[in-house]
Amino acid sequence: MRIVKTAALVGALALSGGLLVPATHAAAARPVTLPSVVATRTVHVDVDGDGHADEVTIEQNGANTFVVNVVTYAGEDDVAQFTSTIDDDWGIEPWYGAARLDGVKGYELLLLTSGADGAMFRVLTWRGGALVAERAPKTLMKGTYDWYLADLGFARFGYRFASGHGHRYVRDFELYASGKYFKGTIVKSLWKAGAWKKVSSKKVKLTKSQAKRYSGISGVTIIARP
């Protein structure tokens, strides 16, 4: 296992909906001081939804491989392994935080897997006494388990979560700046039968004011951040 030290990445990264992504315009970037990238991190969040905090450990066990171990308050234990190059790509650790994304009680775990113009990440969740990967909503991106987030000034990719009428929804958006507007596609999905099910897909033309709500990951609170 290795410990990677990072310095302040001045002008290299910008904050987007709580997730770090590269800034393409110097004027839009803000200096960000990142903590050291540690080989092992332990946090306490309620992953199984029983109202008690569970122990979550993320440990590096190879050049680009990591292991997530969850020990619940009730004593259940499971491990999942994933691959990530985010420390090489951006000099940060894979762990980003936890959030209540879907329609099941408990927090999902957000793990960065790679970074370029935007960030790819995986979502782990607790189901039936085990850690499993949650499939991403239907998008134009390839890879059923790959979630994608970016704020490039001229383009925005992300997820807006909401609840209504007893249901849980997510709007997966891909928007591109076009003069005074943002044009693109918003795919709405419903949490049903343990997965995100596509409900609709529509082309949109939003004013900059309307587009403000579509940035990064919104509609949820991300906790236990590095």
Side-chain angles (χ1 to χ4, degrees):
M1 295 180 290
R2 57 180 170 160
I3 298 178
V4 182
K5 297 295 183 180
T6 60
L9 303 183
V10 180
L13 300 174
L15 292 173
S16 172
L19 186 59
L20 291 166
V21 299
T24 56
H25 305 290
R30 291 180 290 174
V32 177
T33 301
L34 300 174
S36 297
V37 179
V38 295
T40 301
R41 177 176 293 278
T42 299
V43 298
H44 294 86
V45 296
D46 180 14
V47 296
D48 61 1
D50 67 354
H52 297 284
D54 308 306
E55 184 176 271
V56 180
T57 301
I58 304 92
E59 183 175 21
Q60 187 169 358
N61 70 340
N64 293 312
T65 58
F66 297 80
V67 169
V68 180
N69 179 220
V70 171
V71 179
T72 70
Y73 181 84
E76 292 186 287
D77 188 345
D78 196 33
V79 175
Q81 181 170 293
F82 69 99
T83 300
S84 176
T85 61
I86 197 68
D87 58 342
D88 295 322
D89 299 337
W90 287 2
I92 61 177
E93 64 183 279
W95 171 254
Y96 183 67
R100 299 179 185 271
L101 301 182
D102 56 41
V104 180
K105 290 183 178 180
Y107 281 86
E108 278 65 57
L109 310 178
L110 281 59
L111 302 154
L112 304 176
T113 56
S114 65
D117 288 338
M120 303 293 292
F121 63 101
R122 292 288 175 103
V123 172
L124 291 183
T125 191
W126 188 264
R127 297 289 184 268
L131 271 175
V132 297
E134 183 168 303
R135 292 178 180 270
K138 177 65 176 177
T139 72
L140 301 182
M141 297 295 298
K142 295 180 180 180
T144 57
Y145 289 102
D146 292 321
W147 300 58
Y148 182 70
L149 183 69
D151 190 343
L152 307 174
F154 63 87
R156 295 180 185 178
F157 296 75
Y159 306 89
R160 180 171 176 80
F161 294 86
S163 296
H165 305 290
H167 298 294
R168 187 66 170 165
Y169 299 94
V170 62
R171 288 173 173 82
D172 175 359
F173 55 89
E174 301 180 18
L175 303 174
Y176 299 88
S178 177
K180 297 180 180 180
Y181 301 95
F182 276 89
K183 298 180 180 179
T185 304
I186 296 178
V187 179
K188 181 179 179 181
S189 296
L190 166 71
W191 181 259
K192 183 178 181 181
W196 293 108
K197 306 293 185 181
K198 180 180 175 181
V199 174
S200 63
S201 177
K202 65 177 182 179
K203 300 291 184 180
V204 296
K205 180 180 179 182
L206 307 176
T207 65
K208 291 183 178 180
S209 178
Q210 292 172 325
K212 284 183 179 179
R213 70 181 67 181
Y214 295 102
S215 178
I217 301 174
S218 62
V220 296
T221 299
I222 301 175
I223 65 170
R225 294 176 176 175

